[in-house]
Amino acid sequence: MNAQERILARIREALKVPAPKPGSHGHGGHGRDVAPAPVFAFQGRPVQVARSWLPPGGSTPQEHLTRFAAASAELKTDFRCVESESEAHAQLRHIADSEGWARVASHHSPLTDAATAALARPTLFTDGGYVPDELEVCEVGITTCDVLVAQTGSLVVNSRTSGGRALSVLPPHHVVLARKDQLVCDLTDAFQRVEQLHGAHWPSMISLVTGPSRTGDIERILVLGAHGPKKLTVLMW
Amino acid sequence: MSNAAQQFLEAAGTITRNLRHRGLIQTALRKYEVARDRKKSAFNDWSSARQSAAETKWDAINHLDTYLTEFTSKIEARGTKVHWCTTGPEARDTIRGIIKDAKAKCVVKSKAMTAEEIHLNEALEKDGFEVVESDLGEFIVQLRKEPPYHIVFPAMHLTRDEISDLFERELGSAPTREPEELTMIARRALRRKYIQADVGITGANFAIAETGMVSITENEGNARLTAALPRVMVTLLGIEKILPKLEDLALFLPLLATAGAGQTVTGYNTLYGGPRQPGESDGPIEWHVVLLDNRRTELLADPEQRDALHCIRCGACLNVCPIFRNVGGHTYGTTYSGPVGSVITPHLRGLQEWKHLSNASSLCGACTEACPVKIDLHHHLLQNRRNAVGDSPSWIERLAWRAHAFAVNTPALYQFGQEVARIVEPLRLRLQGTPLDPVKSWTRTRDLPPVAPESFKEWWRNRR
């Protein structure tokens, strides 16, 4: 018997005696009593029900947008919803000038290719591999995302179509380019969208990013940019 | 009394008189409470969300064999090596072997309570590897050569001045009173490490059976960097971390962040399903997932307390516990402190040695109320008390209870006892506070209620 079989055998032995269902405080146990019926029956997927108890994300696209903007403001994400792609590029150039970006990092995709061309600065593309030291000195990482979440102000990047694992977290500024139709109501919708996009062939990493990097480890005082980006900008049109 | 109990009493006696410590903990936890309550109120129905989470975890733990098998086969299909380890030393040796095979020198690590549980850092450092903790709080306590104070806020017991002094001494930085500058000192110190390190070690918050992925929750981005740049990645997790479905995270991520830190969701919640896949630009070439039992199966075998394995390590029960708030995290002398630590430690490390933790509770039930997965914590503390006595009954105690039972079942004897108590009480009151007091172990810290001038029976007789 190998270690896996030994541990599984111990688990099966332990589970021979049933445990009381949750919510039966102080009662049941030892398998003597009849376990009380669960409040929410285990039929199929309890989370589909649980969704209605979570913080709401809004019910119309406009509400989603309002909710995402409010969450972004609280998280200190710089969220800009603009009219067109060219306006997004103009905003990007403005940020680049004011922060003095000398080296930009990005990956190839229709949205990012157009943006990096508009920026016209030395650009490191991470596709197909890169030298970490070269990425570390870039002032910004520009990526696409899979989906944005109104409920939480989050966005999802992955290791295959958002330029790898490090691009969105190593440079001190992370800029995300997104389309309005990528914004969904809540985390349940977001995981469904991610499954539609990648379920047949999962990337090795999928990250739900919510605001710039933060810590409260010193006297519970919020500091941005602990190890990851100090700034997170979302440009959406 | 066990050594551990003696140490607990001594440490608790010292720290509860430390006003500076008290002030720090009260301030930190007040901030936490305000944030948590605000985020809880954003839920449409917090208590139903908890019930649903409890049922999902019940399903996961009570079908653990099925889900672990599913998890393993899915994650192995993407080229991950899964190691099953029964004990702490086994897990330690497995990880040491992986690091030796990788011919690594520098290891960067993100926060993992399971690694504290098996004392991984000490073992690796003894082998001569440099292990760098990358979470800011863990980095601070590592420099102080201390275990984490709290499972979520490792450096909660330190002021900015103490941290500044520590950085000045250990890193040669200039003193500062700004938390932001202190954070940047750590950021600069660690940035090179991510790039230099050969191996990255992480913990995990959830393991998704359906898709074969682990989910790592953090705020700083240090776990993401640890999992991005080193060429070998190791993830250590307890077998109880299982969740059945990917979409369960839609419930568990907000629940964990709200209960644990007063956030809607934390900064980064990242799913890892394998090492670098074909066509990807970075990520480790090798990924090892180490599944740790370390007596979790013994807790599983106790149906009464099996739900303690539902714990998602949010720390909410620590934050609300009046005992934790007075004695602090280090007093427990355990990896997991506070109510949940007091429940599980006797199972993980021996009931008789750790039974005193069951008494480190006022049984107020604040922990049970705070738990986002509804673990019946304060009842489990009572059950541990009962089990500890049943396990090793003291003959004095048994004799005393038998005598008590005989007295209360014999009316004449009981009445006689009352008369005697009334007569000797004035004498006892005069002895109270002196070494001659026969019940001094009780009256040292508590009041002894006075004997009633007449019993209920006498009162009733006189009324008629």
Side-chain angles (χ1 to χ4, degrees):
Chain A
M1 231 206 273
N2 64 25
Q4 173 173 1
E5 286 160 357
R6 270 200 309 277
I7 292 176
L8 285 173
R10 270 208 305 279
I11 292 173
R12 289 187 187 118
E13 183 61 34
L15 290 177
K16 277 184 181 161
V17 188
K21 295 277 169 69
S24 56
H25 285 247
H27 306 289
H30 296 310
R32 282 190 308 242
D33 306 323
V34 179
V39 182
F40 308 109
F42 293 101
Q43 289 166 352
R45 319 188 119 193
V47 163
Q48 283 294 351
V49 188
R51 177 180 190 177
S52 59
W53 300 317
L54 297 175
S59 45
T60 63
Q62 190 51 47
E63 276 179 30
H64 296 162
L65 208 56
T66 312
R67 184 74 200 93
F68 188 84
S72 296
E74 196 189 324
L75 292 161
K76 303 198 163 54
T77 301
D78 183 2
F79 170 54
R80 307 178 187 200
C81 188
V82 295
E83 286 305 313
S84 65
E85 186 167 15
S86 58
E87 202 189 324
H89 292 168
Q91 297 257 1
L92 198 58
R93 274 195 300 269
H94 180 73
I95 303 171
D97 290 340
S98 64
E99 290 189 6
W101 294 345
R103 284 149 303 194
V104 171
S106 189
H107 63 99
H108 289 300
S109 80
L111 292 190
T112 47
D113 284 344
T116 48
L119 273 178
R121 284 165 202 253
T123 306
L124 170 77
F125 288 97
T126 56
D127 311 69
Y130 60 91
V131 179
D133 279 311
E134 287 176 13
L135 179 61
E136 209 266 330
V137 295
C138 292
E139 284 98 354
V140 62
I142 303 175
T143 75
T144 56
C145 70
D146 289 336
V147 58
L148 303 101
V149 191
Q151 178 191 35
T152 57
S154 316
L155 54 97
V156 175
V157 295
N158 76 78
S159 52
R160 195 168 56 232
T161 60
S162 325
R165 294 189 183 201
L167 175 60
S168 52
V169 76
L170 189 61
H173 192 161
H174 179 204
V175 175
V176 179
L177 306 174
R179 302 300 311 271
K180 273 184 191 158
D181 61 9
Q182 289 181 290
L183 179 62
V184 299
C185 170
D186 60 9
L187 289 172
T188 308
D189 277 348
F191 283 116
Q192 261 165 22
R193 181 76 69 96
V194 165
E195 196 153 3
Q196 280 162 15
L197 287 171
H198 303 299
H201 178 32
W202 289 107
S204 69
M205 181 216 76
I206 297 166
S207 188
L208 182 79
V209 177
T210 311
S213 157
R214 60 193 56 227
T215 186
D217 274 347
I218 300 173
E219 295 188 19
R220 310 284 310 125
I221 293 163
L222 177 71
V223 176
L224 297 183
H227 294 284
K230 296 175 193 181
K231 287 184 184 168
L232 174 64
T233 303
V234 178
L235 284 169
M236 184 193 272
W237 66 91
Chain B
M1 201 185 292
S2 70
N3 275 339
Q6 195 66 47
Q7 277 163 19
F8 184 99
L9 282 180
E10 278 165 23
T14 312
I15 198 113
T16 43
R17 289 178 180 82
N18 183 338
L19 293 180
R20 190 193 128 278
H21 171 264
R22 180 171 299 237
L24 260 172
I25 301 314
Q26 304 275 347
T27 312
L29 289 178
R30 207 157 34 232
K31 282 185 191 170
Y32 155 81
E33 274 173 8
V34 171
R36 180 205 58 196
D37 288 346
R38 210 166 69 77
K39 291 300 178 187
K40 259 168 81 169
S41 66
F43 275 64
N44 279 336
D45 185 344
W46 172 256
S47 63
S48 296
R50 285 173 74 213
Q51 177 66 23
S52 180
E55 290 182 13
T56 306
K57 260 317 225 187
W58 187 95
D59 174 34
I61 295 297
N62 284 279
H63 304 96
L64 193 56
D65 51 336
T66 319
Y67 287 130
L68 276 175
T69 310
E70 188 183 2
F71 167 78
T72 307
S73 67
K74 292 265 167 66
I75 206 164
E76 280 176 341
R78 278 180 230 109
T80 314
K81 177 87 184 84
V82 179
H83 307 262
W84 296 67
C85 297
T86 304
T87 63
E90 246 180 76
R92 255 183 350 235
D93 291 344
T94 303
I95 295 172
R96 286 160 75 185
I98 294 166
I99 295 173
K100 274 180 196 144
D101 289 347
K103 301 196 169 43
K105 283 189 204 70
C106 178
V107 176
V108 68
K109 187 170 157 295
S110 70
K111 192 168 163 36
M113 287 312 294
T114 18
E116 300 290 334
E117 187 183 323
I118 65 169
H119 306 292
L120 182 62
N121 286 9
E122 291 94 314
L124 295 181
E125 275 158 15
K126 210 179 275 173
D127 285 352
F129 300 114
E130 184 194 4
V131 186
V132 185
E133 287 286 352
S134 57
D135 172 86
L136 177 59
E138 292 281 348
F139 177 69
I140 293 168
V141 295
Q142 187 188 33
L143 285 180
R144 283 173 61 93
K145 300 183 175 58
E146 237 177 28
Y149 178 89
H150 182 292
I151 59 175
V152 177
F153 315 126
M156 190 166 86
H157 59 306
L158 300 172
T159 62
R160 58 185 91 181
D161 294 328
E162 286 169 302
I163 295 166
S164 172
D165 288 349
L166 176 74
F167 282 2
E168 200 181 337
R169 201 166 58 239
E170 300 288 331
L171 307 171
S173 61
T176 172
R177 295 213 75 236
E178 289 305 315
E180 176 150 13
E181 265 181 58
L182 290 167
T183 305
M184 292 311 135
I185 292 167
R187 180 183 169 105
R188 283 192 294 274
L190 284 166
R191 216 144 166 87
R192 296 303 310 160
K193 299 290 181 190
Y194 296 114
I195 294 174
Q196 286 165 358
D198 315 281
V199 177
I201 301 178
T202 75
N205 298 83
F206 304 103
I208 311 297
E210 177 190 37
T211 56
M213 294 174 183
V214 303
S215 172
I216 301 179
T217 290
E218 52 154 345
N219 272 308
E220 299 180 1
N222 60 309
R224 281 207 44 198
L225 287 166
T226 303
L229 299 172
R231 62 193 154 81
V232 176
M233 174 174 168
V234 179
T235 298
L236 172 66
L237 68 153
I239 51 172
E240 85 285 10
K241 293 285 176 202
I242 282 284
L243 280 180
K245 297 194 178 296
L246 182 64
E247 63 176 27
D248 290 335
L249 289 176
L251 170 63
F252 278 85
L253 298 181
L255 214 56
L256 172 61
T258 302
Q263 293 177 276
T264 309
V265 286
T266 60
Y268 301 95
N269 287 283
T270 311
L271 288 156
Y272 294 97
R276 181 192 304 194
Q277 299 294 293
E280 293 185 347
S281 55
D282 57 7
I285 312 290
E286 272 177 48
W287 186 30
H288 300 267
V289 169
V290 181
L291 289 172
L292 178 69
D293 176 354
N294 206 18
R295 300 180 77 168
R296 284 165 174 76
T297 43
E298 285 183 32
L299 185 50
L300 193 72
D302 179 354
E304 198 172 48
Q305 297 192 35
R306 189 176 293 160
D307 69 350
L309 289 170
H310 297 185
C311 178
I312 55 174
R313 307 276 188 263
C314 68
C317 60
L318 283 63
N319 301 339
V320 300
C321 177
I323 308 300
F324 181 90
R325 292 171 82 128
N326 274 293
V327 306
H330 286 147
T331 299
Y332 289 81
T334 57
T335 305
Y336 305 104
S337 61
V340 73
S342 299
V343 168
I344 65 177
T345 305
H347 291 271
L348 303 181
R349 291 169 71 172
L351 180 59
Q352 289 309 322
E353 175 78 5
W354 298 94
K355 64 181 177 188
H356 60 285
L357 294 180
S358 317
N359 295 309
S361 165
S362 64
L363 299 178
C364 65
C367 47
T368 307
E369 194 59 38
C371 178
V373 291
K374 294 183 86 166
I375 301 170
D376 206 355
L377 290 160
H378 70 293
H379 283 115
H380 293 339
L381 291 173
L382 273 177
Q383 290 151 1
N384 276 347
R385 292 184 191 182
R386 178 201 64 202
N387 295 347
V389 175
D391 219 27
S392 157
S394 127
W395 66 268
I396 294 186
E397 216 169 301
R398 266 196 299 177
L399 195 68
W401 283 112
R402 203 169 294 169
H404 174 77
F406 180 68
V408 297
N409 282 312
T410 317
L413 190 59
Y414 188 74
Q415 208 144 4
F416 176 70
Q418 276 181 327
E419 301 296 335
V420 173
R422 245 173 262 159
I423 293 163
V424 301
E425 189 174 34
L427 179 65
R428 195 199 61 76
L429 276 176
R430 203 164 303 164
L431 292 175
Q432 187 158 327
T434 73
L436 291 173
D437 186 352
V439 286
K440 62 174 181 292
S441 58
W442 177 271
T443 53
R444 197 172 54 216
T445 52
R446 308 170 185 86
D447 283 339
L448 191 67
V451 181
E454 54 181 0
S455 71
F456 176 75
K457 255 172 127 174
E458 287 160 351
W459 175 82
W460 184 252
R461 208 179 303 129
N462 294 341
R463 256 174 74 94
R464 289 213 319 198

